[in-house]
Coordinates of all heavy atoms in Angstrom, one line a residue:
Chain B
A73 N 92.2 161.5 146.5 CA 91.1 161.7 147.5 C 90.1 160.6 147.1 O 89.3 160.2 148.0 CB 90.5 163.1 147.3
M74 N 90.0 160.2 145.9 CA 89.0 159.1 145.5 C 89.5 157.7 146.0 O 88.7 156.9 146.2 CB 88.9 158.9 143.9 CG 88.0 160.0 143.3 SD 88.2 160.1 141.5 CE 87.3 158.7 141.0
G75 N 90.8 157.6 146.3 CA 91.3 156.4 147.0 C 92.6 155.8 146.5 O 93.0 154.8 146.9
A76 N 93.2 156.4 145.4 CA 94.5 156.0 145.1 C 95.5 156.2 146.1 O 95.4 157.0 147.0 CB 95.0 156.7 143.8
A77 N 96.6 155.3 146.1 CA 97.5 155.3 147.3 C 98.6 156.3 147.2 O 99.0 156.9 148.2 CB 98.1 154.0 147.5
R78 N 99.0 156.6 145.9 CA 100.1 157.6 145.8 C 100.0 157.9 144.3 O 99.4 157.3 143.4 CB 101.4 156.9 146.0 CG 101.9 155.8 145.0 CD 103.2 155.2 145.4 NE 103.1 154.4 146.5 CZ 102.5 153.2 146.6 NH1 102.1 152.6 145.4 NH2 102.3 152.5 147.7
A79 N 100.9 158.9 143.9 CA 100.9 159.5 142.6 C 102.3 159.8 142.1 O 103.2 160.1 143.0 CB 100.0 160.7 142.6
V80 N 102.5 159.5 140.9 CA 103.8 160.0 140.3 C 103.5 160.9 139.2 O 102.6 160.8 138.3 CB 104.5 158.7 139.6 CG1 105.8 159.2 138.8 CG2 104.9 157.8 140.7
H81 N 104.2 162.2 139.3 CA 104.0 163.2 138.4 C 105.2 163.5 137.5 O 106.2 164.0 138.1 CB 103.5 164.4 139.2 CG 103.1 165.7 138.4 ND1 102.9 166.9 138.9 CD2 103.1 165.8 137.0 CE1 102.5 167.7 137.9 NE2 102.8 167.2 136.8
V82 N 105.2 163.1 136.3 CA 106.4 163.5 135.5 C 106.2 164.9 135.0 O 105.2 165.1 134.2 CB 106.6 162.4 134.3 CG1 107.8 162.8 133.5 CG2 106.7 161.0 134.8
Q83 N 107.0 165.8 135.5 CA 106.8 167.2 135.2 C 108.2 167.7 134.8 O 109.1 167.5 135.5 CB 106.4 167.9 136.4 CG 105.8 169.3 136.1 CD 105.6 170.0 137.4 OE1 105.4 169.5 138.5 NE2 105.8 171.3 137.4
D84 N 108.3 168.2 133.6 CA 109.5 168.7 133.1 C 109.2 169.7 132.0 O 108.4 169.4 131.1 CB 110.4 167.6 132.6 CG 111.9 167.9 132.4 OD1 112.2 168.9 131.7 OD2 112.7 167.2 133.0
D85 N 109.9 170.9 131.9 CA 109.7 171.8 130.9 C 109.8 171.1 129.5 O 109.1 171.6 128.5 CB 110.5 173.1 131.0 CG 110.2 173.8 132.2 OD1 109.0 173.7 132.6 OD2 111.0 174.7 132.7
A86 N 110.8 170.2 129.4 CA 111.0 169.8 128.1 C 109.9 168.8 127.5 O 109.8 168.6 126.3 CB 112.3 168.9 128.1
V87 N 109.0 168.4 128.3 CA 108.0 167.5 127.8 C 106.8 168.1 127.2 O 106.0 167.6 126.5 CB 107.5 166.4 128.8 CG1 108.7 165.6 129.3 CG2 106.7 167.1 129.9
A88 N 106.7 169.4 127.6 CA 105.5 170.3 127.0 C 105.5 170.2 125.4 O 106.6 170.4 124.9 CB 105.6 171.6 127.5
G89 N 104.4 169.9 124.9 CA 104.4 169.9 123.4 C 104.8 168.5 122.8 O 104.9 168.5 121.7
S90 N 104.9 167.5 123.7 CA 105.1 166.2 123.2 C 104.0 165.6 122.4 O 102.8 165.9 122.7 CB 105.4 165.2 124.3 OG 106.6 165.5 124.9
D91 N 104.2 164.9 121.3 CA 103.1 164.2 120.6 C 102.9 162.9 121.2 O 103.7 162.5 122.2 CB 103.3 164.2 119.1 CG 104.7 163.5 118.7 OD1 105.3 162.9 119.6 OD2 105.0 163.5 117.5
A92 N 102.2 162.1 120.6 CA 101.8 160.7 121.1 C 103.2 159.9 121.3 O 103.4 159.2 122.3 CB 100.9 159.9 120.3
R93 N 104.1 160.0 120.4 CA 105.3 159.3 120.5 C 106.2 159.6 121.7 O 106.6 158.9 122.4 CB 106.2 159.4 119.2 CG 107.4 158.7 119.2 CD 107.9 158.1 117.9 NE 108.4 159.2 117.0 CZ 109.1 158.9 115.9 NH1 109.3 157.8 115.5 NH2 109.3 160.0 115.2
G94 N 106.3 160.9 121.9 CA 107.1 161.5 123.0 C 106.3 161.0 124.4 O 106.9 160.7 125.3
T95 N 105.0 161.2 124.3 CA 104.2 160.8 125.5 C 104.4 159.4 125.9 O 104.7 158.9 127.1 CB 102.6 161.1 125.3 OG1 102.5 162.4 124.9 CG2 101.9 160.8 126.5
V96 N 104.5 158.5 124.9 CA 104.7 157.0 124.9 C 106.0 156.8 125.6 O 106.2 156.0 126.5 CB 104.4 156.3 123.8 CG1 104.9 154.8 123.9 CG2 102.9 156.2 123.3
R97 N 107.0 157.5 125.0 CA 108.5 157.3 125.5 C 108.5 157.6 127.1 O 109.1 156.8 127.9 CB 109.4 158.2 124.8 CG 109.6 157.7 123.5 CD 110.8 158.7 122.8 NE 111.0 158.1 121.4 CZ 111.3 158.8 120.3 NH1 111.2 160.2 120.4 NH2 111.5 158.3 119.1
V98 N 107.9 158.7 127.4 CA 108.0 159.0 128.8 C 107.3 158.2 129.7 O 107.7 157.7 130.8 CB 107.4 160.5 129.1 CG1 107.2 160.9 130.5 CG2 108.3 161.6 128.3
L99 N 105.9 157.8 129.3 CA 105.2 156.9 130.2 C 105.8 155.5 130.2 O 105.9 154.9 131.3 CB 103.7 156.8 129.6 CG 102.8 158.0 129.7 CD1 101.5 157.9 129.0 CD2 102.7 158.5 131.1
A100 N 106.4 155.0 129.2 CA 107.1 153.7 129.2 C 108.3 153.8 130.2 O 108.6 152.9 131.0 CB 107.6 153.4 127.8
A101 N 109.0 154.9 130.2 CA 110.2 155.0 130.9 C 109.7 155.1 132.4 O 110.4 154.5 133.4 CB 111.0 156.2 130.6
A102 N 108.7 155.8 132.6 CA 108.2 156.0 134.1 C 107.8 154.6 134.6 O 108.0 154.3 135.8 CB 107.1 157.1 134.2
L103 N 106.9 153.9 133.7 CA 106.5 152.6 134.1 C 107.6 151.6 134.4 O 107.5 150.7 135.3 CB 105.5 152.0 133.0 CG 104.1 152.6 133.0 CD1 103.4 152.2 131.7 CD2 103.3 152.1 134.2
G104 N 108.7 151.9 133.8 CA 110.0 150.9 134.0 C 110.4 151.1 135.5 O 111.2 150.2 135.9
R105 N 110.0 152.1 136.1 CA 110.6 152.4 137.4 C 109.5 152.0 138.4 O 109.8 152.1 139.7 CB 111.0 153.9 137.6 CG 112.1 154.4 136.8 CD 112.4 155.8 137.1 NE 112.8 155.8 138.6 CZ 112.8 156.9 139.3 NH1 112.6 158.2 138.7 NH2 113.1 156.9 140.5
L106 N 108.4 151.5 138.0 CA 107.3 151.1 138.9 C 107.0 149.7 138.8 O 107.3 149.1 138.0 CB 106.0 151.9 138.6 CG 106.1 153.4 138.8 CD1 104.8 154.0 138.1 CD2 106.0 153.8 140.2
E107 N 106.4 149.0 139.9 CA 106.0 147.7 140.0 C 104.5 147.6 139.9 O 103.8 148.4 140.5 CB 106.5 147.0 141.3 CG 108.0 146.9 141.3 CD 108.4 146.2 142.6 OE1 107.6 145.8 143.4 OE2 109.7 145.9 142.7
Y108 N 104.1 146.7 139.0 CA 102.6 146.7 138.8 C 102.2 145.3 138.2 O 103.1 144.7 137.6 CB 102.2 147.8 137.8 CG 103.0 147.8 136.5 CD1 102.7 146.9 135.5 CD2 104.0 148.7 136.3 CE1 103.4 146.8 134.3 CE2 104.8 148.6 135.1 CZ 104.3 147.6 134.0 OH 105.1 147.7 132.9
D109 N 101.0 145.0 138.6 CA 100.4 143.7 137.8 C 99.6 144.1 136.6 O 99.5 143.5 135.6 CB 99.5 143.1 138.8 CG 100.3 142.5 140.0 OD1 101.2 141.9 139.9 OD2 99.9 143.1 141.1
L110 N 98.9 145.4 136.8 CA 98.0 145.9 135.7 C 98.4 147.4 135.5 O 98.6 148.2 136.5 CB 96.6 145.7 136.1 CG 96.1 144.3 136.0 CD1 94.7 144.3 136.7 CD2 96.1 143.7 134.6
V111 N 98.3 147.9 134.2 CA 98.3 149.2 133.9 C 96.9 149.6 133.3 O 96.5 148.8 132.3 CB 99.4 149.6 132.9 CG1 99.3 151.2 132.6 CG2 100.7 149.2 133.6
F112 N 96.3 150.6 133.8 CA 94.9 150.9 133.2 C 95.1 152.4 132.4 O 95.7 153.4 132.8 CB 93.9 151.2 134.3 CG 93.4 149.8 134.8 CD1 93.9 148.7 134.6 CD2 92.3 149.9 135.7 CE1 93.4 147.5 135.0 CE2 91.7 148.7 136.3 CZ 92.3 147.5 136.0
A113 N 94.5 152.5 131.3 CA 94.5 153.6 130.5 C 93.0 153.9 130.0 O 92.2 153.1 130.0 CB 95.4 153.6 129.3
G114 N 92.6 155.2 129.8 CA 91.4 155.5 129.2 C 91.3 155.3 127.6 O 92.3 155.2 127.0
A115 N 90.1 155.3 127.2 CA 89.9 155.0 125.7 C 90.4 156.2 124.8 O 90.9 155.9 123.7 CB 88.4 154.7 125.4
D116 N 90.3 157.3 125.3 CA 91.0 158.4 124.6 C 91.0 159.6 125.5 O 90.4 159.7 126.6 CB 90.4 158.8 123.2 CG 88.9 159.2 123.2 OD1 88.4 159.7 124.3 OD2 88.2 158.9 122.3
S117 N 91.7 160.7 125.1 CA 91.7 161.9 126.0 C 91.0 163.0 125.2 O 91.0 163.1 124.0 CB 93.2 162.4 126.2 OG 93.9 162.5 124.9
S118 N 90.3 163.8 126.0 CA 89.3 164.8 125.4 C 90.1 165.9 124.6 O 89.4 166.5 123.7 CB 88.5 165.4 126.4 OG 89.2 166.1 127.4
D119 N 91.3 166.2 124.8 CA 92.0 167.2 124.1 C 92.7 166.6 122.9 O 93.0 167.2 121.8 CB 92.9 168.0 125.0 CG 94.0 167.1 125.7 OD1 93.8 165.8 125.7 OD2 95.0 167.6 126.1
G120 N 93.1 165.3 123.0 CA 94.0 164.8 121.9 C 93.1 163.9 121.0 O 93.3 163.9 119.8
L121 N 92.2 163.1 121.6 CA 91.3 162.3 120.9 C 92.0 161.2 120.0 O 91.4 160.8 119.1 CB 90.4 163.1 119.9 CG 89.1 163.7 120.7 CD1 88.4 164.6 119.7 CD2 88.2 162.7 121.4
G122 N 93.3 161.0 120.4 CA 94.0 160.0 119.5 C 93.6 158.7 119.8 O 93.3 157.9 118.9
G123 N 93.5 158.3 121.1 CA 93.2 156.8 121.5 C 94.2 155.9 120.9 O 93.9 154.7 120.9
V124 N 95.5 156.4 120.8 CA 96.4 155.4 120.3 C 97.6 155.1 121.4 O 98.3 154.2 121.3 CB 97.2 155.8 119.0 CG1 96.1 155.7 117.9 CG2 97.8 157.0 119.1
V125 N 97.7 156.1 122.4 CA 98.6 156.0 123.4 C 98.6 154.6 124.1 O 99.7 153.9 124.3 CB 98.6 157.1 124.3 CG1 99.4 156.8 125.7 CG2 99.2 158.4 123.7
P126 N 97.4 154.1 124.5 CA 97.4 152.8 125.3 C 98.0 151.6 124.4 O 98.8 150.8 125.0 CB 96.0 152.6 125.6 CG 95.5 153.9 125.7 CD 96.2 154.8 124.5
A127 N 97.6 151.4 123.3 CA 98.1 150.3 122.4 C 99.5 150.4 122.2 O 100.2 149.5 122.2 CB 97.3 150.3 121.1
W128 N 99.9 151.7 121.9 CA 101.4 151.9 121.6 C 102.2 151.5 122.7 O 103.2 150.8 122.6 CB 101.5 153.4 121.2 CG 102.7 153.8 120.6 CD1 104.0 153.2 120.5 CD2 102.8 155.0 119.7 NE1 104.8 154.0 119.8 CE2 104.2 155.0 119.3 CE3 101.8 156.1 119.3 CZ2 104.6 156.1 118.5 CZ3 102.4 157.0 118.5 CH2 103.7 157.2 118.0
L129 N 101.8 152.1 123.9 CA 102.5 151.8 125.1 C 102.7 150.3 125.5 O 103.7 149.7 125.8 CB 101.9 152.5 126.3 CG 102.5 152.7 127.6 CD1 103.9 153.4 127.4 CD2 101.5 153.6 128.5
A130 N 101.5 149.5 125.3 CA 101.5 148.1 125.5 C 102.5 147.4 124.6 O 103.3 146.6 125.1 CB 100.2 147.5 125.4
A131 N 102.4 147.7 123.3 CA 103.3 147.0 122.4 C 104.7 147.3 122.7 O 105.6 146.5 122.6 CB 103.0 147.4 121.0
R132 N 105.0 148.6 123.1 CA 106.4 149.0 123.4 C 106.9 148.3 124.6 O 108.0 147.9 124.6 CB 106.4 150.6 123.6 CG 107.7 151.0 123.9 CD 107.8 152.5 124.0 NE 109.2 152.9 124.4 CZ 110.1 153.6 123.7 NH1 109.6 154.1 122.5 NH2 111.2 153.9 124.2
L133 N 106.0 148.0 125.7 CA 106.5 147.4 126.9 C 106.4 145.9 126.7 O 106.7 145.2 127.6 CB 105.6 148.0 127.9 CG 105.8 149.4 128.4 CD1 104.8 149.8 129.4 CD2 107.2 149.7 128.9
G134 N 105.8 145.4 125.6 CA 105.6 143.9 125.5 C 104.6 143.4 126.4 O 104.6 142.2 126.8

Side-chain angles (χ1 to χ4, degrees):
Chain B
M74 285 168 71
R78 73 183 66 77
V80 174
H81 184 183
V82 182
Q83 192 194 332
D84 196 306
D85 289 344
V87 304
S90 293
D91 63 3
R93 179 151 68 167
T95 303
V96 166
R97 282 185 181 143
V98 172
L99 295 176
L103 282 167
R105 296 188 55 196
L106 293 168
E107 288 186 358
Y108 53 82
D109 302 300
L110 290 168
V111 180
F112 284 8
D116 60 27
S117 58
S118 61
D119 59 342
L121 283 177
V124 296
V125 163
W128 196 336
L129 193 57
R132 183 178 170 115
L133 293 169

